[in-house]
C-alpha cells in the first residue's frame, strides 16, 4: 500500500484543512519516491540501447500485467503538467497508436474506441470508458490516472497512470504505468494473438504477454512525447507533425513496434483526427 493510500485512510473523518495538509504531504512523499527512482536509474538512463533517456520494465502476476516506462522528457515541467492534466490532450495522445479509432473527452471521462485491427470501422471498435482523475497537481509533482473496470478483448481493471517531477528548467522525469487484469477469456485472446499476428513480435525486455504490454506502454509514452513536441506549433501544422513524429519514433524500434508503412498510417490518422470534431464514439 502506498503512502498516499495509507494517509487517505488515516485522514477519514478529519476536517478539510487537515485533509489538504495530508494530501500535500502524500504528494511530497510520492515526489520523493519518484526522485529516488530517477537517481537509482541514473546510469541506465544515460547509457542504454533506446537512443533516449529511458528505462522500460514489466511484470506479470496474479492475472495482472503491467508495463512501466521511466523517461527524461526534453520539456519543462510546467508544459508537461499542462498537457497531462488536460483530458482533451489525452484524447489527442491516445489517438496516435494505430489501433485507437476515436476519442472524446467530457464529464470526467474519455470515451475511446479501440479496434482489433488497424482498419476496423469505428462503430465496430471496442468502446472503452476511462475515468479521468487529476490525482495530484503541484509545483513539484503531478499524477494523472485513467481507469476502467472493463477493458478491451477480455481484460479488466484497465489502468493508465502518469506521474512526473521537474528536473531542471528544461527537463522533466516521467513514469508512465499501463496495466490491466485478465481472466481465462482474456488470456486465450492474448495467446491467440501471440500465436498468429503477434508471433513475430518481441518486447523490449521480455517476450510473450509481458512483451505485449511493454509494446503498448511504449506506444503511449511515444504518443505523449510527440504531443509535447508539437504543442507550440501553429494549429494547422500540429496534427500532421504529431502523426509523422509518432510514426518516426516507433520506427526506431521496428522489431517491437512496426505495424504498417508510413503512407497507410498517416492516411488513416488524418482521417481519424479529421472526424474528431464531428464523430461520436457513443
Amino acid at each position: 500500500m502506498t503512502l498516499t493510500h495509507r494517509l487517505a485512510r488515516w485522514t477519514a473523518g478529519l476536517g478539510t484543512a487537515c485533509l489538504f495538509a495530508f494530501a500535500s504531504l502524500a504528494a511530497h512523499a510520492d515526489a520523493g519516491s519518484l526522485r529516488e527512482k530517477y537517481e537509482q536509474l541514473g546510469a541506465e538512463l544515460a547509457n542504454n540501447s533506446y537512443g533516449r533517456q529511458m528505462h522500460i520494465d514489466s511484470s506479470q502476476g496474479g492475472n495482472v500485467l503491467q508495463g512501466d516506462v521511466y523517461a527524461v522528457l526534453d520539456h519543462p515541467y510546467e508544459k508537461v503538467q499542462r498537457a497531462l492534466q488536460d483530458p482533451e490532450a489525452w484524447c489527442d495522445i491516445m489517438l496516435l497508436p494505430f489501433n485507437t479509432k476515436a476519442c472524446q473527452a467530457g464529464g470526467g471521462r474519455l470515451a475511446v474506441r479501440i479496434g482489433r485491427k488497424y482498419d476496423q470501422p469505428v462503430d465496430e471498435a471496442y468502446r472503452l470508458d476511462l475515468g479521468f482523475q487529476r490525482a495530484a497537481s503541484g509545483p513539484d509533482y503531478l499524477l494523472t490516472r485513467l481507469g476502467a473496470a472493463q477493458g478491451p478483448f477480455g481484460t479488466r481493471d484497465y489502468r493508465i497512470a502518469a506521474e512526473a517531477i521537474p528536473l531542471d528548467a528544461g527537463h522533466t522525469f516521467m513514469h508512465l504505468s499501463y496495466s490491466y487484469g485478465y481472466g481465462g477469456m482474456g488470456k486465450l485472446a492474448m495467446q491467440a494473438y501471440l500465436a498468429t499476428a503477434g508471433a513475430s513480435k518481441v518486447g523490449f525486455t521480455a517476450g510473450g504477454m509481458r512483451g505485449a504490454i511493454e509494446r503498448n506502454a511504449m506506444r503511449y509514452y511515444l504518443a505523449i512525447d510527440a504531443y509535447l513536441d508539437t504543442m507550440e506549433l501553429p494549429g494547422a501544422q500540429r496534427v500532421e507533425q504529431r502523426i509523422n513524429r509518432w510514426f518516426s519514433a516507433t520506427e526506431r524500434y521496428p522489431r517491437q513496434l512496426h505495424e504498417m508503412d508510413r503512407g497507410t498510417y498517416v492516411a488513416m490518422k488524418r482521417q481519424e483526427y479529421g472526424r474528431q470534431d464531428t464523430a461520436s464514439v457513443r
Side-chain angles (χ1 to χ4, degrees):
M1 181 181 294
T2 66
L3 178 58
T4 304
H5 293 144
R6 291 198 297 270
L7 289 172
R9 289 189 175 183
W10 293 342
T11 55
L14 294 180
T16 301
C18 289
L19 287 172
F20 279 124
F22 276 112
S24 177
L25 177 60
H28 180 75
D30 288 336
S33 296
L34 190 56
R35 191 164 297 278
E36 287 179 8
K37 188 68 174 181
Y38 168 70
E39 293 169 356
Q40 175 189 337
L41 294 174
E44 185 175 346
L45 292 171
N47 184 21
N48 58 63
S49 62
Y50 302 124
R52 55 176 73 205
Q53 296 188 71
M54 174 189 295
H55 169 81
I56 300 176
D57 198 4
S58 60
S59 61
Q60 181 179 6
N63 286 349
V64 175
L65 279 167
Q66 180 167 320
D68 295 279
V69 176
Y70 296 88
V72 175
L73 302 171
D74 295 328
H75 300 282
Y77 174 77
E78 293 77 12
K79 179 180 179 181
V80 175
Q81 184 179 41
R82 188 166 71 251
L84 295 187
Q85 304 228 304
D86 178 3
E88 294 286 352
W90 271 99
C91 261
D92 280 345
I93 289 165
M94 296 197 71
L95 197 58
L96 284 169
F98 70 97
N99 62 336
T100 307
K101 312 312 295 176
C103 179
Q104 287 185 336
R109 68 180 179 90
L110 270 62
V112 184
R113 290 279 189 173
I114 298 179
R116 285 184 176 274
K117 300 182 294 184
Y118 77 89
D119 57 352
Q120 188 171 14
V122 64
D123 57 348
E124 296 178 10
Y126 181 89
R127 164 72 178 261
L128 178 65
D129 289 313
L130 288 167
F132 184 90
Q133 179 190 20
R134 299 179 185 92
S137 179
D140 63 351
Y141 180 72
L142 73 88
L143 172 62
T144 298
R145 294 192 181 106
L146 296 88
Q150 299 297 322
F153 321 131
T155 61
R156 60 175 182 263
D157 298 328
Y158 192 94
R159 300 285 182 265
I160 298 173
E163 58 177 346
I165 55 171
L167 294 178
D168 55 39
H171 298 89
T172 302
F173 184 57
M174 182 187 73
H175 169 214
L176 177 70
S177 173
Y178 170 77
S179 66
Y180 58 79
Y182 58 90
M185 290 184 61
K187 186 174 183 178
L188 287 174
M190 178 58 72
Q191 289 174 339
Y193 164 75
L194 293 172
T196 54
S200 62
K201 298 290 185 183
V202 298
F204 291 90
T205 74
M209 295 175 69
R210 281 182 56 192
I213 203 163
E214 287 179 356
R215 294 194 295 273
N216 281 333
M218 182 66 153
R219 290 184 181 108
Y220 285 131
Y221 158 71
L222 294 175
I224 290 171
D225 203 41
Y227 182 89
L228 293 168
D229 282 344
T230 56
M231 281 178 69
E232 276 83 33
L233 292 177
Q237 301 176 22
R238 207 171 294 152
V239 170
E240 188 74 10
Q241 285 292 318
R242 196 167 291 157
I243 291 169
N244 276 282
R245 289 188 188 206
W246 186 86
F247 185 86
S248 294
T250 63
E251 287 297 286
R252 295 180 67 177
Y253 316 100
R255 289 193 65 209
Q256 293 88 358
L257 301 182
H258 179 77
E259 297 290 341
M260 63 194 72
D261 63 84
R262 182 184 295 270
T264 301
Y265 171 79
V266 169
M268 175 179 68
K269 288 302 167 181
R270 282 174 179 166
Q271 182 182 47
E272 289 167 357
Y273 274 99
R275 69 179 176 223
Q276 280 297 94
D277 291 335
T278 57
S280 171
V281 295
R282 295 178 182 174

